[in-house]
Every structure is written in structure tokens, then in C-alpha cells.
């Protein structure tokens, strides 16, 4: 029964193990990594709100981010490396994610919607030190990339010291690997003999990227099988497809005679083949010398026997024949001893040669590993190097939004994106400190509530017609008795003359008498209409000044409005009180349309670029 070892983190390999056991395999769970969720800062999470595209590297990336419950732009285009990751995205965020045909980095980058990303805001949600090729390629295509690291893979601390011996004892034949970190976990600090055993195992990996990384550990490509992805279904299909081949390779090989044209040996590496050829050639030399010595011995023995037999038949002296035969036997023993000594020397030389070959192979392997590690580190540094042009471009965009557009919130958002970009690279502490000071200054600026003030002015304008003028209630005229009437009696001629004189005087001057006190001047309808229209004109002027950001005109028009309302309308009326209260509130508004803000980060960025 083929024994398959599943190294996926705890809780992720049970379903695959069950499928393998149902198919007749022996499956064991041996997690070599553990997943630890990280807590990014608010600065690292802020690009999610303005992102155009969001890429999730794995299922762990989705789970870790969903637990943080960040503000995220659900209208952005979501991407997933695999179908299971896309399913979790829909479950957590309710958004359908784009999935490539090939569940790996190359397949994701081949999507048409990721080919033209110049100027796009892209957020890469990933694990620590994962998928550098995606970030490098998207930056080369002109995207503004922000990495949001939400988890990390670490070797399991509970691994026993002799775990490779344990695997050999359990007759493990196949190992499932789904990340480069798992490769490092099992190949790190492994002894030479254990490394040779590991290199002969069958490996089932989730992508070509892992296969290439596994080859750096001197594992033959013939022992590496690439699945269609990291899902349980893809891994099971890959293992089941190679099951029959593994069963044939796991059978014990019986010793058989070999000939120059036929060989049943397991394919070896180039260096192993050369060492084996050297060993076989040396063995063939030893065998030829032994056969030659044996033939010589037989010929000599035959000659001696024949001579002895002839001498006996000839009747010569037996003592002489015996002496000659004894001398020849001694000579033959010396030759045999010499032959054994030569054989021993050849064997010793062969062992020394094998040791030298093994030492040379070990030295070459160690040197190659060091060179590969150095090349990999250099490539990673080049892939993650910070582009000064991108930093300068973001800083200029922030300055444009501040000075040209007067968009203080937009300027703050651009500076936050620049800070997130610099956070992944060392040597940028001073620049980031200046950026954070600028962000705090911009966030502290409260924008003028233009719309709210405009609507409040409109409310005051609509209330002017409801105001009550200061009316003058004149008292009624005092009724007078007309004593100037002329009498028809002749005897009243004197009184009639007096009354006629009074009428004559009344044609030039008339005095009306009223009861009560006059409080204010009287206004007719035309005067009232003019005052009302003047007040409305001042309010409309305040609205125009507000829209044109002319604070002095705004406050001057409000002051005139307040004076007219206070002078011509009843102060004890509720409508007048409400209008005066609204005007007082409007006069308290801080119309700071053009605050003076200087970006400290501008000089710091220039110095850093130089």
C-alpha cells in the first residue's frame, strides 16, 4: 500500500487524507507549518478603501483579512489565485472574484484585465514574503501597488528531532507540498544520508513555482509531480494518476545478471552515473586479473601434472619429480599471493576513489546551494527594490491636489498610499515621519460646510415674508360738536358773524385732535415692500459670496440683514426671533476657504531620491 505524507498546515489536510484512504492509499497528516494571523496598521489597510483591484493570494489571506473587518471597496474588481479562494471571498465579502484557468501566479498575471493596469490602484493581500513575481510584474506594468500582509507561515515547533527517520520507518513514499515554505521546513538542517533519502521520494506540488524551488534541493524532476492547483481535488487527481507508477517503483529490485545491452537500474543523476561507471570499470579490471591468474594456475597445474605423469611413466626418480612439483607449487602460491595483494590494492584504490567522488559531490552540492541562495536573494532584492520615480510621482500628485484642486482629503489619501509603499523598505523612517506629520495636519482641517450654510441662508430668505413690521396704531379722532353752524334767528347775528369768521380761518388751518401716544413713524405698503426686498437682496448676496468663497462680503451682507430686521420688525414676534437667531448662528461660521498648508514631506522626498 502506497504511503502518502500530507504536510499542509493543521486542519487543511483531513479531506485529502480521507479521499486517499478511500482510494486504497495509506495517508498520514504531518503539518510542517503553522499559520499565524498578523494585524496590519490602519495605514496599511487604508488603500483597500480606494482600490481599483484587490488580489487575494490564498484562502488564508481571505480569512485573515475578514477577521480584521476593514473598510473595503466592494465595487473594486476582486481576484483569486484558486477557485476555493474565490468561494471564500464570496462567502466573506459577497463579491464574485475572477479566477485564472491556471491556479498559480503565471495564470493570474495572464488575465486580460491585469494586462493594462497603468495608473490603477492595486492591493495585494498576501502572506509574509509570498508571491514576489506578482508584485514585480504589476509594478512593471505601471500599477500603483500596495501590499497588505495579513499572515505568515512558520515551521511547526512540535516537530520531533528525528522526523526523517520516522518517515523512513513508516515507509513514506510520497510527500504533498503546497508552498515554498514547506520545502524549506523539511529540507532545512537535514543530514547527508537523510537528504539522499528525501531526494528519492516522490513529491506532489501545487504549482510549477514550487517544483522549480524543489529542484534547487537536488530533487530530480522525474520525482516531482505538478498538480493543477492546491485544492484537495487537484492533489488527489495528481496522486491517483501517479499511483501505479509509484507502486512499481516501490517494489524491491531483485539481483540479476547484467549484460552490456540491458539494465534495470533506477535512473540516477549525471554525477551518480559517472561514479557508478567508474566503480563498474574498476570491478571489471579486478575480475579480468582474477580470471587471468586462474587460467595461468590451471595451465601451470596441467603442465606440472603432465610432466609428472610422463616422468613416472619414463621411470625417472620420484624424489626429483616431487621436488620439482613442490618448487612449482611454492612459485604458484607466491603468484597467487601477489595476485591477492594486487586485488586488495585495487579494492582499496576503488574505495578511495568512491570517497573522493562523494566528497567532491558534497562540496559541489554545497557550493551550488550557496550560489543558488545568493542568486535568489539578489533576485528578491531586485524584485522588491523601491522605484524612486514612483515615490516622486505620488509626492507630485499630493502637491497638485493641495495647491491646484484644494482637495485636502485627497491629498491625505495620496500621502497615505505613499507611506504604505515606503513601509516595505528600510531607510525611509525620516521620510515616513514627515509624511505622517503632513497627514495629521491635513486631517485636522475641517472643510467648510458650504451646502449646509447655503441651505440655512435659503431658510432665512423664505422666512422674511412672514415677519411682522413695527405698525403704528393711531388713536381715533376726538368727535367734535359743530358749533359753527349759522342760526336762522336774526337776533343771533353776532354769533353767526363769529362762526363765519371761524370757517374762514378753517379753510387755511385744520387741527385734528386724537387720544393716545405715537410710538414710531408710519410706513406705507410701498415702503414696506422696498425694505423686504432689500433684506432679501442682502441674503442672496451672502449666498453668492459663500459660493465664490468671499468671506468678507458674506459677513458684511449678514450684518446689514441683521440691522434691517432689528430696525423695522417687531422684536417680540417669534418669526423675528427665529430669523435673528439664524443670522447670529451664520455669523459664527469659520469660513477658512484657503488655509495655508506646507508639506514637510516634499523636501524629505527630494533628499531621499538624491
Amino acid at each position: 500500500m502506497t504511503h502518502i505524507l500530507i504536510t499542509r498546515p493543521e486542519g487543511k489536510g483531513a479531506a485529502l487524507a480521507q479521499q486517499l484512504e478511500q482510494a486504497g492509499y495509506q495517508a498520514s497528516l504531518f503539518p510542517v507549518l503553522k499559520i499565524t494571523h498578523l494585524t496590519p496598521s490602519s495605514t496599511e489597510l487604508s488603500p483597500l478603501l480606494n482600490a481599483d483591484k484587490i488580489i487575494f493570494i490564498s484562502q488564508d489571506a481571505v480569512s485573515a483579512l475578514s477577521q480584521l473587518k476593514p473598510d473595503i471597496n466592494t465595487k473594486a474588481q476582486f481576484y483569486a489565485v484558486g477557485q476555493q479562494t474565490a468561494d471564500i471571498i464570496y462567502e466573506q465579502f459577497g463579491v464574485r472574484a475572477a479566477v485564472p484557468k491556471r491556479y498559480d501566479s503565471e495564470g493570474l498575471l495572464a488575465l486580460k484585465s491585469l494586462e493594462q493596469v497603468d495608473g490603477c490602484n492595486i492591493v495585494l493581500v498576501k502572506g509574509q514574503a509570498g508571491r514576489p513575481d506578482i508584485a514585480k510584474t504589476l509594478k512593471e506594468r505601471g500599477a500603483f501597488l500596495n501590499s497588505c500582509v495579513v499572515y505568515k507561515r512558520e515551521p511547526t515547533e512540535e516537530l520531533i528531532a528525528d522526523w526523517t527517520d520516522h518517515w523512513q520507518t513508516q515507509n513514506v513514499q510520497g510527500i504533498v507540498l503546497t508552498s515554498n515554505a514547506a520545502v524549506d521546513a523539511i529540507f532545512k538542517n537535514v543530514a547527508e544520508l537523510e537528504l539522499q533519502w528525501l531526494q528519492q521520494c516522490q513529491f506532489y506540488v501545487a504549482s510549477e513555482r514550487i517544483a522549480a524551488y524543489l529542484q534547487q534541493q537536488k530533487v530530480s524532476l522525474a520525482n516531482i509531480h505538478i498538480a493543477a492547483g492546491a485544492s484537495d481535488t487537484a492533489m488527489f487527481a495528481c496522486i491517483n494518476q501517479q499511483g501505479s507508477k509509484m507502486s512499481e517503483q516501490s517494489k524491491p529490485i531483485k539481483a540479476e545478471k547484467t549484460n552490456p545491452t540491458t539494465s534495470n537500474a533506477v535512473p540516477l543523476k549525471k554525477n551518480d552515473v559517472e561514479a557508478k561507471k567508474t566503480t563498474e570499470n574498476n570491478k571489471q579490471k579486478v575480475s579480468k586479473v582474477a580470471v587471468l591468474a586462474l587460467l595461468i594456475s590451471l595451465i601451470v597445474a596441467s603442465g606440472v601434472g603432465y610432466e609428472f605423469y610422463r616422468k613416472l611413466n619414463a621411470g625417472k626418480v620420484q624424489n626429483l619429480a616431487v621436488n620439482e612439483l613442490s618448487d612449482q607449487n611454492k612459485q604458484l602460491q607466491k603468484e597467487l599471493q601477489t595476485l591477492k595483494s594486487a586485488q586488495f590494492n585495487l579494492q582499496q584504490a576503488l574505495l578511495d576513489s568512491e570517497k573522493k567522488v562523494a566528497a567532491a559531490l558534497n562540496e559541489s552540492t554545497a557550493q551550488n546551494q550557496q550560489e543558488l541562495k545568493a542568486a535568489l536573494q539578489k533576485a528578491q532584492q531586485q524584485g522588491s527594490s523601491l522605484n524612486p520615480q514612483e515615490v516622486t510621482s505620488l509626492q507630485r500628485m499630493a502637491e497638485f491636489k493641495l495647491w491646484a484642486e484644494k482637495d485636502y482629503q485627497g491629498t491625505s489619501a495620496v500621502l497615505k498610499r505613499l507611506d504604505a509603499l515606503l513601509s516595505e523598505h528600510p531607510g525611509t523612517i525620516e521620510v515616513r515621519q514627515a509624511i505622517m506629520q503632513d497627514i495629521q495636519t491635513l486631517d485636522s482641517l475641517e472643510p467648510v460646510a458650504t451646502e449646509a450654510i447655503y441651505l440655512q441662508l435659503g431658510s432665512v430668505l423664505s422666512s422674511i415674508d412672514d415677519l411682522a413690521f413695527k405698525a403704528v396704531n393711531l388713536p381715533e379722532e376726538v368727535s367734535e360738536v359743530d358749533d359753527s353752524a349759522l342760526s336762522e334767528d336774526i337776533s343771533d347775528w353776532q354769533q353767526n358773524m363769529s362762526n363765519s369768521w371761524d370757517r374762514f380761518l378753517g379753510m387755511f388751518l385744520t387741527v385734528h385732535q386724537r387720544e393716545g401716544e405715537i410710538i414710531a413713524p408710519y410706513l406705507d405698503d410701498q415702503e414696506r415692500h422696498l425694505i423686504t426686498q432689500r433684506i432679501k437682496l442682502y441674503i442672496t448676496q451672502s449666498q453668492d459670496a459663500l459660493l465664490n468663497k468671499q468671506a468678507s462680503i458674506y459677513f458684511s451682507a449678514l450684518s446689514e440683514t441683521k440691522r434691517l430686521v432689528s430696525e423695522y420688525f417687531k422684536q417680540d414676534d417669534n418669526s423675528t426671533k427665529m430669523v435673528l437667531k439664524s443670522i447670529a448662528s451664520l455669523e459664527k461660521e469659520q469660513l477658512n476657504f484657503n488655509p495655508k498648508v506646507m508639506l514637510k514631506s516634499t523636501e524629505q522626498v527630494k533628499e531621499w531620491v538624491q
Side-chain angles (χ1 to χ4, degrees):
M1 180 182 295
T2 304
H3 191 177
I4 304 296
L5 189 73
I6 303 174
T7 63
R8 303 192 70 177
E10 186 174 356
K12 293 190 175 184
L16 177 59
Q18 184 178 3
Q19 289 181 344
L20 291 172
E21 290 176 353
Q22 291 176 354
Y25 295 88
Q26 180 183 354
S28 297
L29 297 176
F30 197 92
V32 298
L33 297 173
K34 63 179 180 179
I35 303 297
T36 302
H37 289 181
L38 304 177
T39 305
S41 63
S42 58
T43 303
E44 294 173 333
L45 293 174
S46 59
L48 290 169
L49 188 58
N50 298 319
D52 299 319
K53 301 177 185 294
I54 303 176
I55 301 175
F56 290 89
I57 295 303
S58 62
Q59 304 173 42
D60 295 315
V62 183
S63 302
L65 184 65
S66 63
Q67 290 182 5
L68 298 174
K69 297 181 180 179
D71 294 330
I72 187 170
N73 182 17
T74 55
K75 295 182 180 180
Q77 176 63 60
F78 283 52
Y79 294 87
V81 176
Q83 185 58 49
Q84 290 185 340
T85 304
D87 294 340
I88 296 181
I89 291 175
Y90 182 73
E91 179 182 345
Q92 297 294 334
F93 300 103
V95 180
R96 295 293 184 185
V99 182
K101 294 182 179 179
R102 286 179 51 187
Y103 297 160
D104 54 16
S105 301
E106 292 75 11
L108 181 70
L109 293 172
L111 291 174
K112 291 184 178 180
S113 56
L114 289 178
E115 290 180 355
Q116 301 296 331
V117 292
D118 188 13
C120 290
N121 296 323
I122 301 179
V123 178
L124 187 63
V125 185
K126 63 171 188 172
Q128 197 174 66
R131 309 274 183 169
D133 293 340
I134 295 179
K136 178 182 178 182
T137 303
L138 291 177
K139 284 184 177 180
E140 291 175 351
R141 294 176 181 177
F144 293 113
L145 187 69
N146 293 282
S147 296
C148 184
V149 180
V150 293
Y151 73 95
K152 64 178 179 179
R153 293 187 178 96
E154 297 178 311
T156 305
E157 297 177 355
E158 292 76 11
L159 285 177
I160 57 178
D162 56 346
W163 50 273
T164 50
D165 295 336
H166 176 70
W167 290 0
Q168 294 182 56
T169 304
Q170 296 294 324
N171 193 26
V172 172
Q173 297 163 289
I175 301 175
V176 175
L177 299 173
T178 56
S179 66
N180 289 348
V183 177
D184 292 334
I186 68 173
F187 278 91
K188 187 176 182 181
N189 299 326
V190 178
E192 182 65 27
L193 293 178
E194 297 171 346
L195 180 61
Q196 292 179 2
W197 176 81
L198 274 176
Q199 291 170 346
Q200 299 303 320
C201 291
Q202 303 293 317
F203 291 92
Y204 301 94
V205 299
S207 65
E208 294 182 358
R209 177 177 57 89
I210 303 175
Y213 191 71
L214 188 59
Q215 284 184 277
Q216 297 178 13
Q217 305 296 333
K218 303 299 181 183
V219 177
S220 174
L221 186 59
N223 293 341
I224 302 175
H225 310 287
I226 305 173
S231 64
D232 294 336
T233 304
M235 277 296 175
F236 175 75
C238 180
I239 295 172
N240 200 30
Q241 183 179 2
Q242 299 295 329
S244 59
K245 297 181 181 180
M246 181 182 293
S247 299
E248 294 177 0
Q249 293 178 0
S250 63
K251 293 180 180 179
I253 302 175
K254 297 181 180 180
E256 296 180 356
K257 293 182 180 180
T258 60
N259 55 62
T261 59
T262 307
S263 176
N264 295 324
V266 178
L268 300 175
K269 296 180 179 179
K270 182 177 180 180
N271 292 335
D272 297 336
V273 172
E274 292 177 356
K276 184 175 180 182
K277 288 181 178 179
T278 303
T279 304
E280 290 177 355
N281 291 335
N282 291 333
K283 289 182 178 180
Q284 288 177 1
K285 291 179 181 178
V286 175
S287 300
K288 291 178 180 179
V289 174
V291 172
L292 180 59
L294 182 59
L295 291 175
I296 293 172
S297 301
L298 291 175
I299 292 172
V300 173
S302 299
V304 172
Y306 175 77
E307 184 66 22
F308 178 73
Y309 179 77
R310 188 180 63 81
K311 288 181 179 180
L312 286 177
N313 292 336
K316 292 184 177 181
V317 183
Q318 294 182 357
N319 290 335
L320 181 60
V322 172
N323 291 334
E324 289 179 1
L325 183 59
S326 178
D327 293 339
Q328 291 176 356
N329 285 334
K330 289 180 181 180
Q331 185 67 26
L332 182 59
Q333 288 178 357
K334 289 180 180 181
E335 293 178 356
L336 289 175
Q337 188 65 30
T338 303
L339 182 61
K340 289 180 179 180
S341 178
Q343 183 178 3
F344 176 77
N345 291 334
L346 287 174
Q347 291 177 347
Q348 190 65 32
L350 179 60
L351 291 175
D352 293 341
S353 177
E354 290 179 348
K355 290 181 180 179
K356 290 180 180 180
V357 170
L361 286 175
N362 293 336
E363 183 179 357
S364 176
T365 301
Q367 184 178 359
N368 290 338
Q369 288 179 349
Q370 292 179 356
E371 292 177 355
L372 287 172
K373 288 182 179 179
L376 181 60
Q377 291 177 356
K378 183 177 180 181
Q380 290 177 348
Q381 291 176 357
Q382 293 177 352
S384 60
S385 61
L386 185 59
N387 186 2
Q389 185 176 2
E390 184 176 357
V391 176
T392 305
S393 176
L394 286 175
Q395 184 65 31
R396 290 176 178 174
M397 183 185 297
E399 294 174 358
F400 178 80
K401 285 186 172 293
L402 176 63
W403 301 115
E405 299 181 355
K406 303 296 183 182
D407 184 4
Y408 304 106
Q409 298 301 319
T411 305
S412 177
V414 174
L415 290 176
K416 289 177 181 178
R417 187 191 308 169
L418 177 58
D419 181 70
L421 176 64
L422 296 174
S423 65
E424 299 181 358
H425 304 278
T428 59
I429 297 178
E430 295 181 358
V431 181
R432 293 188 63 198
Q433 288 177 349
I435 291 174
M436 292 306 298
Q437 291 179 2
D438 291 339
I439 291 174
Q440 292 175 359
T441 302
L442 291 168
D443 291 343
S444 64
L445 296 176
E446 296 183 0
V448 178
T450 304
E451 295 182 0
I453 298 174
Y454 188 90
L455 293 176
Q456 191 173 359
L457 286 170
S459 177
V460 174
L461 181 63
S462 62
S463 301
I464 298 302
D465 292 331
D466 298 332
L467 299 179
F469 278 92
K470 291 180 179 179
V472 178
N473 296 322
L474 297 178
E476 296 180 357
E477 294 184 0
V478 178
S479 57
E480 297 180 357
V481 179
D482 188 7
D483 295 332
S484 61
L486 297 178
S487 174
E488 296 180 356
D489 190 358
I490 298 174
S491 60
D492 295 333
W493 63 273
Q494 292 180 342
Q495 183 65 34
N496 290 336
M497 289 182 66
S498 177
N499 292 340
S500 298
W501 178 252
D502 290 336
R503 287 185 176 181
F504 177 75
L505 292 177
M507 294 174 63
F508 298 96
L509 179 65
T510 303
V511 177
H512 298 278
Q513 295 183 356
R514 295 178 181 271
E515 293 182 353
E517 183 179 0
I518 299 176
I519 300 174
Y522 176 76
L523 296 177
D524 58 18
D525 292 340
Q526 184 177 3
E527 291 174 333
R528 293 185 181 188
H529 176 73
L530 292 175
I531 291 174
T532 303
Q533 293 301 317
R534 188 175 180 184
I535 293 175
K536 290 182 178 180
L537 178 62
Y538 280 130
I539 297 176
T540 305
Q541 188 177 11
S542 298
Q543 289 179 322
D544 293 338
L546 177 67
L547 296 178
N548 295 324
K549 298 182 179 181
Q550 298 173 337
S552 59
I553 298 176
Y554 168 85
F555 289 112
S556 176
L558 281 182
S559 177
E560 289 297 318
T561 302
K562 183 177 180 180
R563 182 184 65 81
L564 291 175
V565 172
S566 301
E567 183 177 353
Y568 290 102
F569 295 93
K570 292 182 178 180
Q571 301 299 304
D572 56 349
D573 187 72
N574 290 332
S575 298
T576 306
K577 291 180 180 179
M578 291 298 297
V579 170
L580 291 175
K581 183 177 180 181
S582 299
I583 293 174
S585 175
L586 291 169
E587 287 180 332
K588 294 179 181 179
E589 294 289 345
Q590 300 294 330
L591 301 184
N592 190 8
F593 292 113
N594 298 307
K596 294 183 179 180
V597 180
M598 299 298 294
L599 295 180
K600 297 181 180 180
S601 59
T602 301
E603 294 299 328
Q604 291 291 339
V605 169
K606 289 181 180 179
E607 293 178 3
W608 179 84
V609 171
Q610 293 177 354

